[in-house]
Every structure is written in C-alpha cells, then in structure tokens.
Amino acid sequence: MTVGVAGLAQDQETTKTVGDQLLTFIQSAADLLGKGLVELVNLVLPEGREVSSDLAQPLGYLGLITVILLLFGIIEAARKVIWIVVIVGWVLLVVRIILDALHVA
C-alpha cells in the first residue's frame, strides 16, 4: 500500500509539473507574441504616439487565441476536403464492385 501511495503522489507531482510547464509555455508564447505585435504597431504609428508596452500581454493572449482559431479553421477546411475524398473513394469502390459483379471489362 505504501508503494502505491508513493507512486500516486509521484504521478500527481509529475502532472503538476507538466501543468506548470504548459502554463509557463503559454505565458512565454503570449509574452513574445505580444512584444512582437507592440513593435509592429509602433512601426506603423507616427513618432511620439507609440503603444505602451503594458499592452504586450493582452495583445499576446489575443494573438495566441487568434492563431488557435485560425488553426482550427484550417483543420475544419481540411476535414471537409477529406470527407469529399472519402465519399469519392467509396463511390468509385462501389462502382468497381458493381462492374466486377456484372463482368464488365
């Protein structure tokens, strides 16, 4: 029983560590993306009207969510194309079976 409890505690620590690492990665990605977006916006704005670096974190999180949404959109479009290919494949297979059953060359 002691070994099982120790193993369970170790699994919880590993899960906590993985969760912490994932959140740290998301925070770092959002921070990097936000800083990049602030620099990009500041390139467009006239001198003296720069965007505050305080907006880097909110811009980063919104940018990260936007990238995720774009990826899901691409996946959705790919899913439709895959369904079309699968349907065409089934139709061609059924036609081949019918032609084979009727002994048509």
Side-chain angles (χ1 to χ4, degrees):
M1 173 103 179
T2 308
V3 174
V5 171
L8 182 61
Q10 186 178 6
D11 286 344
Q12 289 174 347
E13 287 178 16
T14 304
T15 304
K16 184 177 179 183
T17 304
V18 170
D20 287 342
Q21 289 176 348
L22 180 64
L23 290 175
T24 302
F25 172 75
I26 292 171
Q27 173 70 29
S28 298
D31 189 43
L32 183 64
L33 185 61
K35 287 179 182 177
L37 288 172
V38 166
E39 290 295 322
L40 188 64
V41 169
N42 284 338
L43 286 175
V44 177
L45 293 177
E47 192 72 29
R49 301 230 178 214
E50 290 88 11
V51 173
S52 171
S53 62
D54 293 339
L55 291 176
Q57 193 170 12
L59 276 173
Y61 279 112
L62 283 174
L64 203 58
I65 290 170
T66 304
V67 167
I68 291 169
L69 284 173
L70 288 173
L71 288 176
F72 282 138
I74 291 170
I75 290 171
E76 186 65 32
R79 181 184 293 164
K80 290 178 184 177
V81 170
I82 291 169
W83 271 111
I84 291 170
V85 170
V86 167
I87 290 169
V88 168
W90 277 107
V91 168
L92 291 174
L93 188 63
V94 168
V95 168
R96 173 63 192 252
I97 291 170
I98 291 170
L99 291 176
D100 197 34
L102 295 174
H103 300 293
V104 177

